[in-house]
Amino acid sequence: MVLGVKVGKRNAEVVRRALRAAGLIDPRFRVLRDEEHVYFPILGSPGPGVLEGIEYELVDMEFPVKRRRPRDFIELLEGELSDLELAAVPRAIDLVGDIAVIELPDELLEKGEVIGRAIMRFYRNVRAVYAKRPVRGVYRVRELIHLAGERRTTTIHREYGVVFKVDIARVFFSPRLGWERARVANLVRPGEVVVDMFTGVGGFAIHIARRVPCRVYAIDINPDAYRLLLENIRLNRVEGAVHPYLGDAREIVRQGLMGVADRVIMDNPSMSHEFVDVALDALKREGGTIHFYHFESGERPVEEAVNRFTSLVEACGRRVRNIRYARKVKSSAPYEWLIVVDGEVG
Ligand SMILES: C[S@@+](CC[C@H](N)C(=O)[O-])C[C@H]1O[C@@H](n2cnc3c(N)ncnc32)[C@H](O)[C@@H]1O
């Protein structure tokens, strides 16, 4: 039984304010109502003056316990997993549209369904949960293991007003790069020509074309990424601005995009060091900006990336005029970072 205050509906709001001001409402329980009365669970009798002049009754009654929203999906797993297992569940998950992706250690895979269901209970809009394995191959695609919910890998992801149709089993897509895509799009000036050499489903290209009138050449070698790029161009209504190409960036640039660009985006961090000559070919003769993405794991990863970029540019006989910006974008593995370098090249 819990102590409560019973008041007529007419006085309920005044009483609620007075009890709250006196710190008397018991937050563990829900307020109850019937046709004529409201019942407030309280921590102790209202002292003199608290409800002065108001007709009320003190009652002992059952109040339903308030259901508190859990802190995170891990809390929902307490009692289902051992303490050791709980400690090993990664806190970070990727939400791509209505699909959740988690990097589960091998020893937790047999608990994958329980973990997947907890994720779906916590994130009410999630319809499917997968465990991801490391990215592989030229297309940078991940093997996925279904944990819970629908067996569907296609979804619509929204970020900064841009819509992406994605198939997480067939293309690379990271929601953690949303801020970075928006950052680069904000640097583009009207009328610029941009080459997005490794566009995936159109990540940078579509952000840019949505934000500023310009021309973006968007290239990817993965036919599934290209198919989704075409859909995303249409979904975001940037048909005139984004020009899609399927194929190897080296060949596409050499076949028709030599010396056209004010800006080149090189988001293929495991391979971009092999394509700096291609990015320089795509840049206008008078120079422009290159956004160089690379994985680094040394003591000073940002300096490593800047030095790597500078020496690769110089090895091609061009000059880095200025490093406008360089920073860690995200961690990519234990002791490894994705680094971006914005370099102005002459
Ligand atoms: C890290 S993903 C790009 C992600 C994309 N920028 C985004 O924001 O979602 C790298 C992409 O490079 C593509 N790729 C790999 N080698 C390529 C090449 N030689 N030419 C063109 N695209 C290539 C892969 O298919 C993959 O989609």
Side-chain angles (χ1 to χ4, degrees):
M1 288 293 186
V2 177
L3 186 61
V5 166
K6 174 182 173 184
V7 287
K9 274 194 166 165
R10 207 163 33 91
N11 289 325
E13 187 51 27
V14 181
V15 169
R16 189 185 64 76
R17 284 200 198 147
L19 291 173
R20 174 172 281 184
L24 281 175
I25 294 186
D26 190 333
R28 293 168 302 168
F29 300 102
R30 278 179 34 214
V31 174
L32 286 180
R33 291 174 176 77
D34 63 22
E35 294 282 285
E36 289 163 29
H37 298 97
V38 177
Y39 304 82
F40 294 96
I42 54 172
L43 295 160
S45 295
V50 174
L51 297 179
E52 204 171 300
I54 301 170
E55 207 177 302
Y56 72 94
E57 205 183 308
L58 283 179
V59 288
D60 268 326
M61 58 185 284
E62 298 283 357
F63 282 92
V65 176
K66 261 191 203 164
R67 279 210 283 153
R68 184 178 63 79
R69 184 169 158 70
R71 263 189 326 278
D72 51 28
F73 73 93
I74 310 275
E75 196 179 314
L76 294 171
L77 289 166
E78 285 166 12
E80 305 243 25
L81 302 187
S82 70
D83 287 353
L84 220 60
E85 289 168 334
L86 276 176
V89 179
R91 271 54 188 161
I93 60 174
D94 282 345
L95 294 173
V96 184
D98 61 359
I99 301 178
V101 184
I102 184 166
E103 192 159 2
L104 271 194
D106 285 348
E107 65 271 21
L108 278 182
L109 277 179
E110 62 178 35
K111 297 288 167 67
E113 192 182 343
V114 177
I115 295 170
R117 277 198 268 110
I119 291 172
M120 289 181 68
R121 270 169 57 210
F122 185 75
Y123 296 99
R124 293 288 166 79
N125 62 329
V126 166
R127 294 281 167 271
V129 184
Y130 288 89
K132 64 180 178 186
R133 314 310 277 164
V135 283
R136 280 197 322 217
V138 171
Y139 297 169
R140 313 305 295 150
V141 178
R142 293 177 182 280
E143 185 201 334
L144 297 171
I145 300 168
H146 179 260
L147 301 183
E150 295 175 25
R151 290 180 181 272
R152 164 166 64 77
T153 54
T154 301
T155 186
I156 298 283
H157 180 80
R158 292 183 167 77
E159 59 181 38
Y160 299 90
V162 179
V163 180
F164 290 118
K165 185 164 178 190
V166 183
D167 184 340
I168 57 168
R170 291 174 172 273
V171 299
F172 176 95
F173 185 81
S174 171
R176 296 188 199 187
L177 292 179
W179 187 85
E180 179 62 17
R181 290 187 272 261
R183 180 188 75 84
V184 170
N186 275 315
L187 298 173
V188 178
R189 303 272 72 91
E192 273 192 20
V193 176
V194 180
V195 173
D196 185 2
M197 284 173 63
F198 309 102
T199 199
V201 299
F204 286 88
I206 291 175
H207 263 272
I208 292 169
R210 284 278 299 177
R211 216 198 66 76
V212 60
C214 62
R215 173 179 286 253
V216 189
Y217 297 106
I219 309 167
D220 206 282
I221 200 168
N222 174 353
D224 288 307
Y226 178 75
R227 175 177 53 80
L228 289 160
L229 167 66
L230 297 184
E231 284 200 53
N232 289 327
I233 290 173
R234 200 173 35 77
L235 279 174
N236 291 280
R237 294 192 291 278
V238 287
E239 285 94 342
V242 178
H243 302 260
Y245 290 86
L246 170 62
D248 175 7
R250 183 175 296 278
E251 286 171 22
I252 304 279
V253 167
R254 302 245 154 105
Q255 278 163 16
L257 298 176
M258 298 280 283
V260 298
D262 299 289
R263 186 180 299 274
V264 177
I265 299 161
M266 304 185 70
D267 177 23
N268 192 7
S270 58
M271 294 291 288
S272 48
H273 55 275
E274 292 185 14
F275 286 83
V276 169
D277 58 327
V278 184
L280 292 168
D281 282 347
L283 270 194
K284 285 182 174 162
R285 290 183 122 244
E286 64 266 33
T289 302
I290 296 181
H291 301 277
F292 176 75
Y293 293 84
H294 207 267
F295 294 132
E296 302 290 350
S297 53
E299 282 275 291
R300 296 163 179 247
V302 176
E303 274 131 298
E304 296 263 337
V306 169
N307 293 339
R308 185 187 300 280
F309 175 69
T310 306
S311 52
L312 286 165
V313 170
E314 286 170 356
C316 295
R318 304 275 288 257
R319 193 170 64 85
V320 176
R321 286 193 201 125
N322 185 17
I323 298 294
R324 284 229 137 205
Y325 180 91
R327 73 163 182 113
K328 292 176 181 167
V329 178
K330 65 181 184 84
S331 104
S332 43
Y335 309 107
E336 187 192 83
W337 295 90
L338 169 61
I339 307 294
V340 61
V341 178
D342 293 0
E344 277 174 21
V345 175

